[in-house]
Amino acid sequence: TDWNGDLVYAHTAGTVVKWDDAAAAGAIDIKTKDIDFGQPGQVKRIYKFYITYKISGTSNLGLQWFLDGSTSATASAGPFSNTSGAWSVATVSPTVVSCNSILLRIYTSTSTTPADFEINDITIVYRLKGQR
């Protein structure tokens, strides 16, 4: 939030823009923060990702993950293209990943994503290394 109490975000080249929740079609490229699950110094094993989303129309929704602050994607999954407009869960079971932190990128490979695209939640199944 800014000094005026408005929700803002940084756009390309660092331009700060006030949040507008009006629907608009366009390509998406969403990146989470570097997630360390509150234990930055401990290695985790990542077992599965769940993304609850809904979309109507054609879209090639994909997922990539980046480990330990890397700028190169470790792997990717998708496209997920349930286009019914109803809530759907994309389940990704990568080969077990060991890391200190992980960043997720949700994107479309096409230049247009329907304006009604929504993400409800993202769940990551993990365990601290050394625990079962």
Side-chain angles (χ1 to χ4, degrees), residues 17-105:
V17 181
K18 181 179 173 183
W19 177 259
D20 178 9
D21 59 352
I28 63 164
D29 191 358
I30 301 168
K31 295 178 184 170
T32 66
K33 66 178 189 169
D34 214 15
I35 303 166
D36 62 17
F37 307 100
Q39 301 280 341
Q42 184 149 7
V43 176
K44 292 86 167 162
R45 287 193 176 122
I46 310 291
Y47 294 96
K48 199 172 278 196
F49 306 109
Y50 296 101
I51 302 171
T52 305
Y53 70 99
K54 74 176 170 180
I55 196 167
S56 63
T58 304
S59 178
N60 292 318
L61 185 66
L63 172 71
Q64 289 182 323
W65 50 96
F66 302 76
L67 304 179
D68 301 327
S70 174
T71 57
S72 299
T74 300
S76 60
F80 313 111
S81 55
N82 174 16
T83 59
S84 68
W87 288 108
S88 180
V89 178
T91 303
V92 178
S93 301
T95 304
V96 177
V97 174
S98 291
C99 62
N100 286 324
S101 64
I102 190 165
L103 178 145
L104 300 178
R105 176 183 179 230

Side-chain angles (χ1 to χ4, degrees), residues 24-28 55-56 58-61 107-117:
I28 63 164
I55 196 167
S56 63
T58 304
S59 178
N60 292 318
L61 185 66
Y107 66 97
T108 54
S109 58
T110 60
S111 60
T112 57
T113 301
D116 66 347
F117 170 73

